[in-house]
Amino acid sequence: MLALVNAQRASAGCAPVTADDRLAAVARAHSADMRDRHFFSHTNPDGLNPFQRAEAAGIKYARAENIASGQPDPAAVMAAWMASDGHRQNILNCSLRTLGVGVAQGAGGPWWTQLFGA
């Protein structure tokens, strides 16, 4: 996923993002939460948005989130995100420098989360 994101960023003139394990942990938890509690939203059933979830994990630099569900592999989910204006804007935002990716497998999934940081 990181290589696919960075290929798109390079073609847009952006610097690559680097993998961030802390953002990835929050992204994985959100993907699993969507699967386990049967919702699909940036805001979880407890009312927490991506930035609040990141801050609860001690992260103050989260800046953007992409979510998806059902695409079978990284190439498919990236194609879907790049075809969506808002998701593409997050991927191609040159001010973002880090990325954590989470995926949760299960019936009706997988569930994908990208959490970008400054």
Side-chain angles (χ1 to χ4, degrees), residues 59-103:
I59 301 168
K60 297 181 187 238
Y61 54 89
R63 296 292 181 268
E65 181 181 76
N66 288 340
I67 60 173
S69 177
Q71 294 82 0
D73 56 48
V77 74
M78 276 297 295
W81 280 330
M82 292 305 292
S84 163
D85 287 340
H87 296 101
R88 183 176 58 251
Q89 286 175 7
N90 286 341
I91 292 166
L92 301 181
N93 181 336
C94 293
S95 71
L96 301 174
R97 299 287 181 215
T98 57
L99 173 62
V101 177
V103 61

Side-chain angles (χ1 to χ4, degrees), residues 12-13 18 31 34 40 46 54 57 67 72 74 87-88 91 94 96 112 114:
T18 58
S31 291
M34 288 191 293
F40 183 73
D46 303 319
I67 60 173
H87 296 101
R88 183 176 58 251
I91 292 166
C94 293
L96 301 174
W112 301 90
Q114 288 182 324

